[in-house]
Amino acid sequence: MPSCDAPFPDCEAVLRTPRIARIATGIVSNIGWDILPCLAANRMTGLIDTVVQSFRAGQLKPHARCSWPYYGICGSNPRAP
């Protein structure tokens, strides 16, 4: 796994805004390695409801296998693809 880069300066504020408004937030990652340790190292996991990673789904974005789990976890009900 690559080392964790520092997040953008506004990242925490951007993630905190929907959290305060009780809006479910998720990340759909197209990176080929596990980003969860980096999110934890930067204390961001408490601001995110779910992370769907394309390498775990076995597909690249925008394939439905990458985004579909996010909808269910976040309580959304989109049309089936």
Side-chain angles (χ1 to χ4, degrees), residues 27-67:
I27 295 173
V28 179
S29 170
N30 215 29
I31 297 172
W33 46 271
D34 190 358
I35 66 169
L36 294 176
C38 290
L39 293 170
N42 287 290
R43 298 185 177 119
M44 302 273 176
T45 54
L47 301 174
I48 302 164
D49 295 294
T50 188
V51 176
V52 178
Q53 299 178 84
S54 62
F55 82 97
R56 290 187 192 258
Q59 299 292 330
L60 297 175
K61 291 189 310 186
H63 196 283
R65 282 191 190 160
C66 295
S67 57

